[in-house]
């Protein structure tokens, strides 16, 4: 590839990624769903919070190329921070969320310092090990976390002192939607910035990036920390909207499931989490209602079918179908 | 003093037995992931399938242990062929993540299938009479079946080393993984080779799953429950090697048992700390090649 | 004219009757939150079987025009956030009259506020953490607490004259409760627990812990692990390391000497003494009735355990409410009946709800593993009647 072709690609890339009308679709769907599905708002809030979690995973997975099997460590740290504060008199959700992000980001920074020099299978295992160790610590520290029984006594105040968390989940839904929106703004800005492009470069060819003088480790650590803080925010969301935190929030199981959801949606396209998380969670909810004993089978089958038909998850599948449509313009 | 020595021997013994089961199952994963470069998170499915077939043959059809195990292994190896052909082969060139997705889908399906055919309870398993009870060695006695497991592990690692590191078959696989087109151009039928290698990896898993049913119970969630351990063994050992997982399994099995004995409150912690230490020191694993 | 008016009259009365029937058709919905998938599906499965069996065999007991619908939801394990959402959905979407089931204590704790806010009775059919009934005035529990069950075996062990005890439990809250219950009554009876160990939850190979016990040389060891494959693994390790020959006696609870795992244990379980609220080998007539229905529905190989009976008895409590109110009640009326519910017809023997605590009062049996007709069974040989939860007695609400 010659230099002029490279700048050409980059120029078209940045032109193409100004705000596209299709990007309003998720937000439209979120607003419409509130009115169409008033009985499903609790599930909706959980889906929104998990989407934020998925977005944080996509940032490191799809853009920086770090395969992580331990992101629930940050999600859980955020959840426990918000939960602990709420159980000890600091019930204001926004305060809890900021504290959660700070805590999760700090843990992300520290663990990133230790493990981000590794690659391949090693880094996967290291992220997993960090998560497992934090899970064990949470299990043991019963006085802080409540151990296996979960954190008790959370008293979450109304959001901004105005909006109480109700049984039907209305407040939870909007709170989660707004936080997700803010997270999306951050992610989108990052991804389309020079910083974001350098991450893609690192993912594609580390040696070349090093050769042109990019501080690779520094970039990776930065995105890892930001992603950890975002995951922490998602954890705080779940804690505050459900008013409980248990060990499953910091578990390897959750790390695995979120990874699967994001890959299922399609990595590295910013919207993988927006597609993969709701589809997976709704499928899981439906399957487990239809076939409570064997729904695992149907979910597994769904995953296999999606991969067999297209690489790159559901977004990849959609891209494949889009390309098959007749073109009016000659490219 | 004497009781400390006695305890040490007991720990070494039980740790090694546990390690052998881990090794028996994980070495197949080292083959598929290392030699073939495929992220096969569904490896445990072949192991538990071996266990299920074995217990069904023994308790459903009354077939003796010594016959049931080879039959179960053969059944799984045969089953792996169409799976490789239709599910794995299309993804050989795909990204790691797509391979993760497909194999996780298989794992989920296996949990439901296991429960559907065999119920949610763990399968019963008793060693055959000749291998049960205790073996007397003067003042000490050791459980016979666990001694059998240790022996089997040692035999297997030798056979594999001779069979793969030292033969043309092994060399061909390595060649095909390094550069498939080159290997094909010198006349190696890479498709058939990969099918054979995959069948070998699955057969090894089935062997580990069936022999190891004594320690790692055969239940529908087997593939999920033990995934982390299998991954740790191959990561610490080094992908694509035969000795690597053996040493890693020994290291992990014995230290896990030792830590649980000495510091039961923190037993679980140490294994993961140890894994972290090894991987930071040697990112490719103990025996992995750069 | 004559024919038409008779025809119209017939039509009118038929439709009135139809409307009358439709109006009288009351559907009582019971939302059952159970664990049906994942690594921990075994207890959920047993509980569901007990629930289903009761509904199937007691259809004739319902008042005319009343039917019971079970709505199952899967919490997939100890996931309190999922359990809470399922309970919320059952209450707001399906408008259930009762919430029932729940295997795991964290899940039950999470559901409590939902029951309170919606004023829907929650029949806890398993979750055994002692404080659970206190978390909401709409909870009754028909299962047990580990304090209730582990206490009697400690008392029995002390009575045998054993002085040095050792406890080994799985490192999670039910384990702590069991450890506490045994230690308290063992030491009250004159014994001393010389050491204790808490074993990490994922442990599958218990040899190092059993070795530690062997080295400490106690007279008696109390072991508690979750019901299922861990229990079998513990027994195997106990056997492999020759602790019986070393003169150490093992005592435990019904979770380890689990009725449906006994066929896997055979020789290993022979002679092991445990305490429990239900043994499938119990000879009382109510159990025979239960077993006949069970085997007819699920086959001869299927073995019920205490979870199955808890599901069965819990439904009995619900049916009592339905029968006493004719199917018309609200949450508070139901709770009034449930809080005072008792029965002598349970496969476990006489059970009742303690109105002061809304927790269960039941017999605890001491059983020994014995070979009966070539099969290992828990044979009851001693009864401690009407045991209340000692933890609540010792810890009155503040």
């Amino acid at each position: 590839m010659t230099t002029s072709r490279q700048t050409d690609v980059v120029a078209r890339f940045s032109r193409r990624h100004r705000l596209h009308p299709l990007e309003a679709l998720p937000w439209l769907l979120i607003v419409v769903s509130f009115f169409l599905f008033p009985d499903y708002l609790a599930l909706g809030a959980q889906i929104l919070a998990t989407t934020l979690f998925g977005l944080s995973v996509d940032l490191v997975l799809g853009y920086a190329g770090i395969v992580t099997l331990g992101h629930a460590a940050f999600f859980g740290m955020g959840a426990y921070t918000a939960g602990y504060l709420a159980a000890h008199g600091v019930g204001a959700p926004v305060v809890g969320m900021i504290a959660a992000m700070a805590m999760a980001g700090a843990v992300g920074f520290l663990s990133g310092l230790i493990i981000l020099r590794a690659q391949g299978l090693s880094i996967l295992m290291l992220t997993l090990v960090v998560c497992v160790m934090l899970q064990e610590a949470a299990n043991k520290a019963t006085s802080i976390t409540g151990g296996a029984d979960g954190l008790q006594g959370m008293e979450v105040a109304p959001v901004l002192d105005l909006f109480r968390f109700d049984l039907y989940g209305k407040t939870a839904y909007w709170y989660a939607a707004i936080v997700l929106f803010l997270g999306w703004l951050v992610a989108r800005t990052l991804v389309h910035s020079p910083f974001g492009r350098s991450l893609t470069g690192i993912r594609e060819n580390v040696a070349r990036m090093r050769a042109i003088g990019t501080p690779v480790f520094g970039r990776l650590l930065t995105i890892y920390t930001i992603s950890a803080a975002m995951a922490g925010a998602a954890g705080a969301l779940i804690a505050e909207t459900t008013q409980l935190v248990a060990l499953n929030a910091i578990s390897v199981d959750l790390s695995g499931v979120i990874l699967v959801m994001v890959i299922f949606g399609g990595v590295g396209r910013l919207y993988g989490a927006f597609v993969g998380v709701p589809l997976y969670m709704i499928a899981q909810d439906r399957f487990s209602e239809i076939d409570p004993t064997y729904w695992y089978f149907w979910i597994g089958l769904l995953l296999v079918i999606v991969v067999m038909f297209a690489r790159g998850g559901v977004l990849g599948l959609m891209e494949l179908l889009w390309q098959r449509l007749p073109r009016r313009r000659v490219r | 003093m004497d009781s400390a020595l006695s305890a040490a021997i007991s720990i070494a013994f039980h740790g090694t037995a546990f390690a052998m089961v881990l090794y028996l199952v994980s070495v197949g994963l080292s083959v598929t992931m290392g030699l073939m470069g495929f992220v096969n998170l569904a490896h445990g499915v072949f192991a538990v399938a071996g266990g299920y077939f074995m217990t069904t043959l023994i308790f459903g059809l009354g077939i003796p242990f010594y016959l049931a195990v080879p039959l179960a292994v053969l059944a799984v190896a045969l089953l792996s062929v169409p799976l490789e052909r239709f599910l794995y082969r299309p993804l050989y060139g795909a990204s790691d993540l797509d391979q993760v997705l497909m194999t996780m889908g298989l794992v989920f399906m296996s949990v439901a299938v296991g429960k559907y055919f065999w119920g949610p309870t763990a399968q019963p398993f008793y060693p055959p009479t000749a291998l049960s009870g205790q073996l007397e060695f003067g003042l000490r006695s050791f459980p016979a079946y666990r001694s059998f497991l240790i022996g089997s592990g040692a035999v297997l690692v030798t056979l594999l080393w001779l069979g793969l590191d030292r033969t043309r078959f092994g060399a061909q696989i390595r060649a095909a993984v390094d550069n498939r087109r080159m290997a094909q151009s010198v006349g190696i039928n890479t498709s058939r080779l990969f099918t054979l290698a995959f069948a070998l990896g699955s057969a090894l898993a089935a062997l580990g799953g069936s022999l190891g049913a004594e320690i790692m119970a055969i239940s529908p969630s087997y593939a999920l429950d033990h995934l982390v351990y299998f991954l740790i063994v191959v990561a610490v050992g080094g992908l694509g090697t035969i000795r690597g997982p053996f040493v890693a399994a020994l290291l992990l099995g014995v230290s896990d048992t030792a830590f649980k004995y000495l510091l039961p409150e923190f037993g679980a912690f140490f294994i993961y700390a140890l894994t972290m230490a090894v991987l930071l020191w040697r990112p490719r694993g103990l025996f992995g090649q750069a | 004219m004559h024919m038409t008016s008779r025809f119209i009259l017939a039509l009118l009365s038929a439709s009135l009757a139809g409307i009358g029937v439709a109006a009288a058709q009351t559907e009582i919905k019971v939302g059952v939150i159970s664990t049906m998938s994942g690594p921990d599906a075994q207890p959920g499965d047993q509980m569901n079987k007990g629930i289903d069996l009761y509904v199937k065999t007691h259809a004739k007991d319902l008042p005319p025009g009343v039917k019971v619908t079970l709505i199952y939801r899967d919490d997939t394990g100890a996931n309190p956030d999922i359990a809470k959402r399922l309970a919320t959905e059952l209450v707001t979407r399906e408008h259930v009259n009762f919430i029932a089931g729940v295997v795991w204590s964290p899940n039950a704790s999470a559901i409590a506020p939902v029951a309170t806010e919606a004023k829907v009775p929650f029949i806890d059919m398993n979750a055994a953490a002692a404080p659970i009934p206190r978390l909401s005035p709409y909870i009754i529990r028909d299962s047990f607490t580990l304090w209730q069950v582990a206490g009697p075996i400690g008392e029995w062990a002390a009575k045998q004259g054993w002085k040095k005890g050792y406890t080994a439990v799985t490192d999670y809250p039910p384990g702590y409760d069991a450890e506490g219950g045994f230690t308290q009554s063992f030491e009250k009876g004159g014994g001393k627990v010389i050491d204790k160990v808490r074993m990490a939850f994922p442990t599958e190979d218990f040899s190092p812990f059993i070795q530690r016990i062997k080295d400490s040389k106690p007279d008696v060891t109390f072991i508690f692990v979750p019901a299922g494959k861990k229990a079998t693994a513990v027994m195997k390790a106990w056997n492999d390391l020759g602790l019986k020959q070393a003169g150490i006696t093992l005592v435990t609870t019904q979770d380890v000497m689990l009725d449906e795992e006994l066929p896997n244990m055979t020789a290993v379980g022979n002679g092991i003494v445990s305490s429990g609220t239900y043994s499938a080998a119990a000879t009382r007539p109510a159990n025979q009735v239960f077993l006949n229905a069970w085997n007819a529905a699920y086959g001869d190989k299927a073995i019920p355990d205490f979870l199955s009976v808890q599901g069965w008895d819990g439904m009995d409590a619900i049916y009592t409410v339905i029968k006493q109110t004719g199917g018309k009640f609200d949450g508070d009326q139901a709770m009034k009946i449930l809080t005072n519910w008792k029965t002598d017809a349970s496969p476990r023997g006489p059970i009742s709800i303690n109105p002061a605590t809304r927790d269960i009062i039941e017999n605890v049996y001491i059983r020994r593993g014995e070979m009966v007709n070539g099969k290992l069974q828990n044979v009851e040989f001693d009864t401690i009647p009407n045991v209340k939860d000692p933890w609540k007695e010792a810890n009155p609400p503040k």
Side-chain angles (χ1 to χ4, degrees):
Chain A
M1 248 195 172
T2 63
T3 327
S4 60
R5 254 190 87 186
Q6 273 173 308
T7 33
D8 193 38
V9 167
V10 166
R12 272 170 48 201
F13 179 89
S14 42
R15 249 205 320 273
R16 206 188 307 162
H17 285 266
R18 281 294 145 71
L19 210 48
H20 190 278
L22 214 61
E23 293 194 72
L25 189 62
W27 309 108
L28 215 63
L29 283 173
I30 289 173
V31 173
V32 166
S33 301
F34 178 79
F35 297 103
L36 278 182
F37 305 110
D39 285 340
Y40 290 79
L41 295 181
L43 178 63
Q46 282 191 341
I47 292 179
L48 290 170
T50 313
T51 304
L52 182 63
F53 186 27
L55 185 61
S56 76
V57 170
D58 199 10
L59 280 179
V60 296
L61 181 67
Y63 288 95
I66 305 170
V67 184
T68 165
L69 251 184
H71 235 59
F74 313 121
F75 181 88
M77 284 307 293
Y80 274 112
T81 307
Y84 184 80
L85 286 174
H88 287 82
V90 185
V94 177
V95 173
M97 168 125 343
I98 295 175
M101 287 173 66
M103 183 60 126
V107 174
F109 180 76
L110 287 171
S111 64
L113 265 181
I114 302 175
I115 72 177
L116 281 176
R117 300 220 182 256
Q119 275 171 38
L121 182 62
S122 280
I123 204 171
L124 179 99
M125 297 309 299
L126 286 167
T127 57
L128 187 133
V129 164
V130 166
C131 185
V132 147
M133 285 170 70
L134 277 172
Q135 185 181 353
E136 256 312 294
N139 186 24
K140 286 247 169 278
T142 325
S143 53
I144 304 178
T145 63
D149 270 343
L151 196 64
Q152 308 291 340
M154 274 180 73
E155 301 218 359
V156 182
V159 182
L160 299 177
D161 260 343
L162 288 171
F163 307 101
R164 192 186 141 269
F165 286 107
D166 60 304
L167 187 66
Y168 280 82
K170 294 200 200 95
T171 310
Y173 190 85
W174 288 119
Y175 181 49
I178 291 172
V179 176
L180 176 62
F181 180 75
L182 294 171
W184 171 78
L185 273 181
V186 169
R188 198 178 181 285
T189 316
L190 267 176
V191 158
H192 291 320
S193 68
F195 173 73
R197 286 197 286 274
S198 73
L199 284 177
T200 312
I202 293 173
R203 186 188 76 217
E204 306 281 293
N205 195 327
V206 149
R208 184 151 46 139
M209 292 305 285
R210 285 217 173 93
I212 63 172
T214 316
V216 169
F217 184 73
R219 296 279 155 95
L220 288 178
L221 188 60
T222 310
I223 192 67
Y224 199 71
T225 308
I226 294 175
S227 162
M230 193 181 282
L237 265 182
I238 291 279
E240 290 168 356
T241 54
T242 58
Q243 315 216 3
L244 34 79
V245 186
L247 287 177
N248 62 350
I250 204 167
S251 67
V252 171
D253 276 358
L254 181 62
S255 301
V257 167
I258 194 70
L259 183 71
V260 167
M261 285 196 240
V262 174
I263 301 176
F264 176 64
V267 297
R269 294 170 157 97
L270 192 64
Y271 290 99
F274 284 84
V275 168
V277 171
L279 274 179
Y280 186 95
M281 285 182 76
I282 292 172
Q284 182 178 320
D285 193 60
R286 293 288 97 214
F287 288 156
S288 70
E289 227 169 275
I290 297 171
D291 192 352
T293 332
Y294 303 111
W295 62 268
Y296 256 62
F297 182 83
W298 304 110
I299 271 272
L301 188 64
L302 180 65
L303 295 179
V304 173
I305 288 176
V306 166
V307 176
M308 284 296 135
F309 275 100
R311 302 297 124 75
V314 172
L315 281 178
L317 187 64
M318 280 163 58
E319 210 173 73
L320 195 73
L321 294 173
W322 181 260
Q323 279 169 5
R324 293 260 172 95
L325 290 176
R327 284 303 167 85
R328 285 190 224 108
R329 242 177 340 127
V330 175
R331 281 201 168 266
Chain B
M1 263 293 92
D2 175 55
S3 71
L5 181 63
S6 170
I9 294 177
S10 175
I11 289 175
F13 178 82
H14 285 278
T16 308
F18 178 50
M20 286 304 101
V21 176
L22 273 183
Y23 174 65
L24 286 168
V25 179
S26 306
V27 68
L29 184 58
S30 186
V31 168
T32 38
M33 253 176 103
L35 293 188
M36 293 167 60
F38 195 101
V39 183
N40 183 17
L41 297 183
H43 186 73
V45 175
F46 299 97
V48 76
Y52 271 125
F53 288 151
M54 177 194 70
T55 50
T56 309
L57 288 170
I58 294 179
F59 295 105
L61 297 173
I63 295 179
F65 176 79
Y66 308 102
L67 198 55
V69 172
L71 281 177
V73 171
L74 190 64
V76 172
L78 288 173
L79 246 168
S80 77
V81 173
L83 274 173
E84 191 265 343
R85 174 75 183 79
F86 295 111
L87 288 178
Y88 284 80
R89 194 176 298 178
L91 291 175
Y92 279 152
S95 72
D96 285 352
L97 298 177
D98 283 320
Q99 293 173 350
V100 164
L101 199 65
M102 194 279 281
T103 52
M104 279 314 288
L106 282 182
V107 170
F108 288 163
M109 286 167 75
S110 78
V111 174
V113 166
K115 189 167 176 220
Y116 184 76
F117 286 111
W118 288 280
T121 14
Q123 291 299 100
F125 175 78
Y126 332 106
T129 352
L131 289 174
S132 48
Q134 310 276 327
L135 286 178
E136 309 289 326
F137 283 112
L139 285 169
R140 287 209 63 108
S141 60
F142 295 104
Y145 192 75
R146 303 222 172 181
S147 316
F148 167 68
L149 281 175
I150 294 177
S152 307
V155 166
L156 187 74
V157 71
T158 318
L159 283 177
L160 282 176
W161 176 65
L162 290 173
L164 285 179
D165 267 12
R166 292 295 208 87
T167 63
R168 262 168 53 111
F169 178 62
Q172 286 181 337
I173 296 179
R174 283 195 301 278
V177 171
D178 278 345
N179 194 327
R180 188 165 181 175
R181 237 178 254 151
M182 223 25 224
Q184 279 174 328
S185 66
V186 299
I188 300 175
N189 184 340
T190 51
S191 301
R192 203 178 55 172
L193 196 63
F194 278 177
T195 307
L196 278 174
F198 190 80
L200 176 66
S202 313
L204 287 170
L207 183 65
S210 46
L211 288 183
E214 162 87 349
I215 299 186
M216 291 181 7
I218 304 298
S219 75
S221 55
Y222 184 102
L224 270 178
D225 293 342
H226 302 112
L227 182 57
V228 175
Y229 267 152
F230 300 153
L231 285 177
I232 289 184
V233 169
V234 299
V236 168
L239 285 177
T241 70
I242 302 301
R243 288 169 298 162
F246 187 75
V247 173
L250 267 178
L251 184 65
L252 290 166
V254 174
S255 22
D256 185 54
T257 311
F259 286 134
K260 287 203 173 118
Y261 176 84
L262 295 166
L263 284 153
E265 301 285 305
F266 300 101
F269 251 142
F270 279 111
I271 281 305
Y272 301 115
L274 185 65
T275 304
M276 201 164 177
V278 172
L279 287 178
L280 285 173
W281 171 51
R282 293 263 241 236
R284 299 253 166 207
L286 294 171
F287 290 87
Q289 289 97 14
Chain C
M1 271 276 103
H2 192 60
M3 293 296 278
T4 327
S5 56
R6 260 214 266 172
F7 179 67
I8 292 174
L9 202 63
L11 202 62
L12 209 61
S13 45
S15 43
L16 274 175
I19 294 169
V21 166
Q25 180 70 257
T26 314
E27 188 186 15
I28 306 294
K29 292 190 189 163
V30 180
V32 182
I33 298 180
S34 179
T35 306
M36 298 180 285
S37 60
D40 304 307
Q42 194 175 336
D45 192 67
Q46 285 284 47
M47 184 178 73
N48 297 353
K49 283 200 169 98
I51 295 173
D52 287 339
L53 191 63
Y54 188 95
V55 172
K56 195 159 112 163
T57 53
H58 288 79
K60 50 181 169 30
D61 286 3
L62 290 167
V66 177
K67 73 169 185 157
V68 167
T69 309
L70 295 171
I71 304 175
Y72 279 99
R73 290 285 180 265
D74 184 3
D75 58 17
T76 70
N79 297 313
D81 50 341
I82 297 182
K84 186 171 187 178
R85 175 171 63 81
L86 292 172
T88 311
E89 285 170 6
L90 282 169
V91 154
T92 59
R93 231 191 281 171
E94 315 280 351
H95 307 289
V96 296
N97 302 87
F98 298 95
I99 301 174
V102 186
V103 175
W104 311 100
S105 295
N107 295 10
S109 307
I111 290 174
V114 176
T116 309
E117 190 162 347
K119 297 203 197 326
V120 169
F122 168 30
I123 289 94
D124 175 1
M125 292 173 172
N126 190 58
I132 286 176
R134 288 193 183 155
L135 295 175
S136 162
Y138 287 87
I139 300 181
I140 65 149
R141 170 159 59 197
D142 87 303
S143 55
F144 60 96
T145 73
L146 263 323
W147 288 87
Q148 240 170 337
V149 175
I153 193 74
E155 198 182 307
W156 181 86
K159 269 202 212 126
Q160 307 309 305
W162 290 318
K163 292 286 171 227
K164 290 190 285 180
Y166 196 110
T167 64
V169 304
T170 298
D171 196 352
Y172 77 139
Y176 312 149
D177 282 355
E179 178 192 275
F182 177 86
T183 307
Q184 189 180 69
S185 46
F186 183 67
E187 297 197 333
K188 207 194 294 187
K192 181 96 184 70
V193 173
I194 57 174
D195 202 356
K196 65 180 190 181
V197 70
R198 290 180 175 179
M199 311 179 283
F201 192 87
T203 306
E204 287 208 35
D205 183 20
F206 291 90
S207 340
F209 303 107
I210 305 293
Q211 180 64 40
R212 253 182 97 98
I213 297 174
K214 192 176 185 185
D215 294 341
S216 304
K217 301 195 202 338
D219 298 318
V220 63
T221 304
F222 172 73
I223 294 189
F224 174 84
V225 295
K229 52 188 166 172
K230 288 189 173 61
T232 315
V234 162
M235 306 296 267
K236 282 198 179 153
W238 185 270
N239 197 46
D240 282 346
L241 281 146
L243 266 78
K244 189 149 91 177
Q245 291 82 340
I248 307 173
T249 312
L250 169 66
V251 297
T252 180
T253 66
Q254 58 189 355
D255 306 78
V256 174
M257 288 297 281
L258 191 65
D259 288 317
E260 75 254 28
E261 287 282 323
L262 293 183
N264 294 352
M265 290 183 200
T266 51
V268 177
N270 205 356
I272 304 286
V273 175
S274 61
S275 57
T277 54
Y278 173 74
S279 161
T283 49
R284 65 189 70 87
N287 192 30
Q288 283 310 322
V289 170
F290 175 69
L291 283 175
N292 289 339
W294 180 275
N295 290 126
Y298 301 121
D300 282 325
K301 288 246 174 75
I303 303 175
D305 65 10
F306 57 93
L307 275 145
S308 326
V309 171
Q310 283 156 199
W312 171 279
D313 286 337
M315 288 311 295
D316 194 37
I318 290 177
Y319 271 50
T320 306
V321 172
I322 298 175
K323 286 188 282 194
Q324 282 188 19
T325 61
K328 304 233 180 307
F329 54 88
D330 66 12
D332 295 313
Q333 292 165 333
M335 280 314 293
K336 241 196 222 104
I337 300 172
L338 289 170
T339 320
N340 295 289
W341 176 71
K342 57 163 76 88
T343 176
D344 285 336
S346 162
R348 297 183 251 183
I351 60 176
S352 62
I353 300 293
N354 184 346
T357 62
R358 283 174 285 104
D359 210 338
I360 190 166
I361 302 176
E362 59 191 328
N363 293 353
V364 177
Y365 305 95
I366 310 286
R367 321 91 57 88
R368 183 178 285 114
E370 286 173 19
M371 302 299 286
V372 178
N373 298 329
K375 288 198 218 150
L376 184 66
Q377 305 206 324
N378 287 313
V379 175
E380 295 169 351
F381 63 88
D382 200 3
T383 306
I384 297 97
N386 300 324
V387 179
K388 293 188 192 170
D389 173 30
W391 184 87
K392 286 206 217 33
E393 307 278 300
N395 297 284
K398 295 183 192 69

